[in-house]
Amino acid sequence: MTVRPSHDDFTRISEGFSPEPSRSHSLKAEAYTDPQWMEVERAAIFGCTWQWVCHVEKLREPGAFVTVEIAGQPICIVRDREASLRAFYNVCKHRAHELLRGEGRTTKIMCPYHAWTYDLTGQLRRAPETENLTDFSVNDVCLDQVQVEEFCGFIFVNLDPAAAPLARQSGGLETEVRQWAPDIDQLTFGHRLTYDIRSNWKNVVDNFLECYHCPTAHKDFCTLVDMDTYEVTTHGIYSSHMAEAGKGSNTAYDVSNAKVRTHAVWWLWPTTCLMRYPGRSSIIVLNIIPAGHNRTLETYDFFLETPEPDAAEQEAIRYLDEVLQVEDINLVESVQRGMETPAFTQGRIVHDPAGSAKSEHAVHHFHGLVLDAYRQAVVA
């Protein structure tokens, strides 16, 4: 059952938020701790926004497929024989069995329960023992389609059939990403890190969107990049976070021979983060996956020039896994615990009009999008 907040619920949860970040408080703790808001978000945010699936390399060839869960719904994405990208609910139209598992290559979609068989466009082609059924034709049965889009070298899906294309919604994001990562389509998967975090997904996003905490909590990171050049810019449904690499030696990982000298990061509403750290040409995709009102899963996928990380990349992966992530996970789990006490209701947004890393205006921008989604859930 879809949970719909009342007008009173929305009035309460939005108290203290101002469109002007210099006047605004953060989201209420209730948004992070009350399971009701997690249920609202499942439909009002994750059920109608573009969600990251994978790099295009997994779905380049006809017959390639990937399966994923989006907002609790099983989805399969395939490249059909004519090279068109298609996405469906991964559910057989006969008795609702799962159709495909994992990822790979196939020439057809056959249900492992009763062998109902669909082509790669989703059209039913064979249903055994149905010749004597009245008013039944395989031509009338097709898998339910889901919107799918190739964007910035990656595959995204959206469960909302009325959603505008991601390329249109995101404005200049693709142009910006390709300016800094022109080879993004040709990069290849190199490594994945996974995390299970005891905190609400919004705490994870909040933490990602500001570096106000960096001088205190990430001292190594503050030697990797030149914090004086760090600038954060918000746009419609994304924000950009840019800095030059540090000019001297650093305590994170060696970038002395780096050909990429810019730290470029983009957050795309609601849970996709693209990162280009100093080093070789690469893109790291952080996918934030809500798993409950106080639990979040994360994947960090490293897309590199070669399938095997070089020595510097291995050290960068080690630093991110053993240092930076440990620091961040400790932070957001502590924040979650604090939010679940009566001692915290909401905090003040710290704002620097110059848009420096030490400003929380990107957090404020994110909170505005969350409240817009809550508002839509009330009026829907």
Side-chain angles (χ1 to χ4, degrees), residues 287-328:
N287 189 29
I288 299 168
I289 307 164
H293 73 280
N294 59 2
R295 183 182 177 216
T296 302
L297 306 178
E298 282 185 340
T299 60
Y300 275 79
D301 283 347
F302 294 76
F303 297 95
L304 312 171
E305 293 182 15
T306 57
E308 294 297 326
D310 66 14
E313 287 163 346
Q314 290 175 2
E315 182 63 14
I317 291 169
R318 184 209 60 80
Y319 162 70
L320 197 153
D321 184 36
E322 298 179 10
V323 180
L324 192 61
Q325 273 296 95
V326 171
E327 293 167 344
D328 276 331

Side-chain angles (χ1 to χ4, degrees), residues 210-275:
E210 50 91 356
C211 222
Y212 181 38
H213 68 283
C214 291
T216 305
H218 299 316
K219 297 187 184 302
D220 297 311
F221 179 80
C222 290
T223 66
L224 176 64
V225 303
D226 182 352
M227 294 300 293
D228 291 335
T229 67
Y230 206 125
E231 185 175 354
V232 180
T233 309
T234 61
H235 306 270
I237 62 166
Y238 76 96
S239 55
S240 304
H241 308 247
M242 301 289 181
E244 295 299 319
K247 296 180 175 61
S249 61
N250 73 80
T251 56
Y253 62 91
D254 183 21
V255 294
S256 57
N257 296 318
K259 66 181 182 182
V260 173
R261 302 293 303 173
T262 302
H263 172 75
V265 173
W266 299 270
W267 167 78
L268 173 63
W269 164 257
T271 53
T272 303
C273 309
L274 308 178
M275 298 176 278

